[in-house]
Amino acid sequence: MVRTEKLREEFAQRLAQACKDAGLDEHGRGMALSRATGLSSKGVSKWLNAESLPRPAVMAELAKFLKVDPVWLQLGITTGENSNVSNFRPYTRGATYPVLSKVQAGAWNEAIEAYSLKEIDLWLESEAHIQGEGFWLLVDGDSMTAPMGLSIPEGTFVLFDTGKEATNGKLVVAKLTDFNEATFKKFVIDSGQKYLKGLNPAWPMVPINGNCRIIGVAVETKLRLL
């Protein structure tokens, strides 16, 4: 029993360290891990609190999401041939993309428009395959927070690809001609009519007919401590 408790405690420490290195703050990491593994937040909290250990298949998903060595995450040892350290985690830096304000995103056209990329203070990396130009937006408000199923709460960073086709059901960032800011919504086509729809059922669908420009399609989300 003592040995099992020690294994859980050591795993919880490595998991917490991996989350911290991945930019997940203490308040958001439970939700992020739950979303990455498809398991309940209650189950995830047991890992973080050293109350249980993930199954091997789930351990592999965690390691992939956190970009760490799965053997290190599970056992605290490395798989390198000549390694003599116990916390080595191989890491390859991905491409980085700017985090824009909603106003900047609304003006986005190819690489730049109406502002300089040199003025962007925050850049986040991603290993996603981007077909056009990429940029991140920080979700503001509760229009994409759903009571069940897919939910993207306020404080989530979303990566958009300007070269990806906006098809029915995709999550997109769009700019209505009547507003100066971009909006993040689900793109819906119903009987030929196009709409922007929040994941929050309290938000009504907004019909679009030539009064909207789709700027990019969402390809990745992440929570990060600013």
Side-chain angles (χ1 to χ4, degrees), residues 98 100 103-105 107-108 111-117 119-120 135:
L100 307 182
V103 173
Q104 289 169 331
W108 186 266
I112 56 174
E113 178 180 316
Y115 68 96
S116 171
L117 287 178
E119 299 173 2
I120 306 299
F135 64 87

Side-chain angles (χ1 to χ4, degrees), residues 141-157:
D142 65 352
S143 68
M144 297 298 280
T145 302
M148 62 180 61
L150 178 62
S151 180
I152 304 177
E154 183 173 25
T156 302
F157 287 94

Side-chain angles (χ1 to χ4, degrees), residues 22-24 28-29 31-32 35 155-157 221-225:
L24 303 177
R29 65 184 51 165
M31 183 180 296
R35 188 183 303 143
T156 302
F157 287 94
T221 64
K222 70 167 62 179
L223 292 171
R224 180 182 185 274
L225 179 62

Side-chain angles (χ1 to χ4, degrees), residues 16-90:
Q17 183 61 51
C19 287
K20 181 179 179 180
D21 292 347
L24 303 177
D25 63 81
E26 292 185 10
H27 298 293
R29 65 184 51 165
M31 183 180 296
L33 296 179
S34 176
R35 188 183 303 143
T37 60
L39 299 178
S40 68
S41 57
K42 182 178 180 180
V44 170
S45 67
K46 290 184 177 181
W47 306 335
L48 295 169
N49 295 325
E51 297 175 6
S52 70
L53 293 170
R55 300 189 307 274
V58 177
M59 188 77 73
E61 288 295 320
L62 284 173
K64 181 179 179 181
F65 173 67
L66 296 170
K67 298 184 177 65
V68 298
D69 185 333
V71 177
W72 171 82
L73 184 61
Q74 180 177 8
L75 303 175
I77 60 176
T78 66
T79 57
E81 182 178 352
N82 298 315
S83 176
N84 60 359
V85 294
S86 62
N87 63 345
F88 171 76
R89 288 162 290 138

Side-chain angles (χ1 to χ4, degrees), residues 153-214:
E154 183 173 25
T156 302
F157 287 94
V158 182
L159 177 63
F160 295 92
D161 184 351
T162 63
K164 195 174 183 65
E165 182 182 3
T167 56
N168 187 32
K170 294 292 187 181
L171 302 183
V172 303
V173 60
K175 181 179 183 298
L176 296 172
T177 56
D178 298 334
F179 299 91
N180 293 324
E181 294 185 350
T183 183
F184 175 39
K185 295 290 185 291
K186 183 177 182 179
F187 182 55
V188 176
I189 303 175
D190 187 7
S191 301
Q193 173 64 55
K194 298 178 181 179
Y195 300 89
L196 293 178
K197 178 184 180 182
L199 298 179
N200 186 335
W203 285 69
M205 289 200 301
V206 177
I208 52 175
N209 263 326
N211 63 335
C212 175
R213 177 165 62 96
I214 302 296

